[in-house]
Amino acid sequence: MATLGEIGTRIRDGAAALAALQPKIDAGRPWPLSEHFGVEPEASWGPHETMAHVAEMIPYWLGQIEIILDAEGAPPFGRMQSDVVRIGLIERDRILPPRELVARISADAERAARRLAELSAADGERVGIHPRSGETTVAGIAERFIAGHLDEHVRQLEEILAAAPAR
C-alpha cells in the first residue's frame, strides 16, 4: 500500500486534474440538472452532481478518519450511498457555479493531503469498522474513499465532457 504522503499527493493530483476540466465544463454550460441523482436505478449525474459529490465527499471522509484517530479501539465509520445527508448535500450544492465547486474541492484536497502528511505510519494502520467493507485502516480509507474515488469522478467528468455535443 502507498504511504500516507503518497496518497496525499494522489489527492492533490486528482483535484488538479478536476480543476483542469473547469474550462471545458464552463464551455458546456448550461448543463441540465439530473432529475434523478440519488440511488434510484435511473439516476444519472452530470458535471454539477459529480462536482457537488466530490466537494462533499473529501471533507466527509477526512472527518471519518479523524473519528478513528480520536477513538479507542475500532469505531464504526462511514455511510452507504443512500445516506440522506449525502444526497441532500449533492442536491443543495449542484446549483453552485463550477468555479465554487472547484475551489472547494481544491481547498479540501489540499487540507486532506496536509493532514495525511502529518500522520504517522501507526496512525495509518488504525482501524475503523465500515458497514459494508468491515475493518478498514486509515490509510485504506484515504486510498479508497478519497484518492481512488476522486480519480473515478475525474474519469467520469472526462467521459461526460467527451460525450457532450459541441456548443
Side-chain angles (χ1 to χ4, degrees):
M1 176 169 281
T3 67
L4 291 169
E6 292 167 341
I7 296 167
T9 297
R10 278 191 55 212
I11 294 168
R12 280 189 181 107
D13 291 348
L18 190 145
L21 296 174
Q22 184 182 341
K24 290 182 181 179
I25 293 166
D26 287 339
R29 291 177 75 191
W31 293 94
L33 295 178
S34 297
E35 191 173 325
H36 304 283
F37 56 90
V39 294
E40 54 273 40
E42 64 275 15
S44 65
W45 286 3
H48 288 282
E49 289 83 15
T50 303
M51 290 188 305
H53 168 58
V54 173
E56 66 82 19
M57 70 97 174
I58 295 172
Y60 174 80
W61 290 112
L62 186 57
Q64 296 300 292
I65 286 170
E66 293 297 343
I67 288 169
I68 293 168
L69 294 172
D70 202 45
E72 293 190 26
F77 79 95
R79 63 184 179 189
M80 304 304 282
Q81 280 186 317
S82 59
D83 182 82
V84 296
V85 174
R86 173 187 173 271
I87 293 168
L89 288 171
I90 294 168
E91 180 176 25
R92 182 194 74 186
D93 291 348
R94 69 191 184 134
I95 63 170
L96 294 172
R99 69 182 172 275
E100 174 60 21
L101 293 169
V102 168
R104 289 179 184 191
I105 292 164
S106 297
D108 284 331
E110 181 59 33
R111 188 168 65 91
R114 276 195 324 268
R115 180 62 176 131
L116 291 174
E118 295 171 356
L119 300 179
S120 69
D123 290 332
E125 293 304 313
R126 300 278 307 270
V127 173
I129 311 296
H130 187 269
R132 184 181 56 224
S133 303
E135 284 192 7
T136 309
T137 64
V138 163
I141 294 165
E143 171 70 35
R144 177 178 175 194
F145 295 111
I146 304 176
H149 201 57
L150 177 55
D151 290 344
E152 290 169 7
H153 286 303
V154 168
R155 285 191 301 278
Q156 179 185 14
L157 281 169
E158 290 169 341
E159 290 168 6
I160 291 167
L161 293 169
R167 297 190 190 203

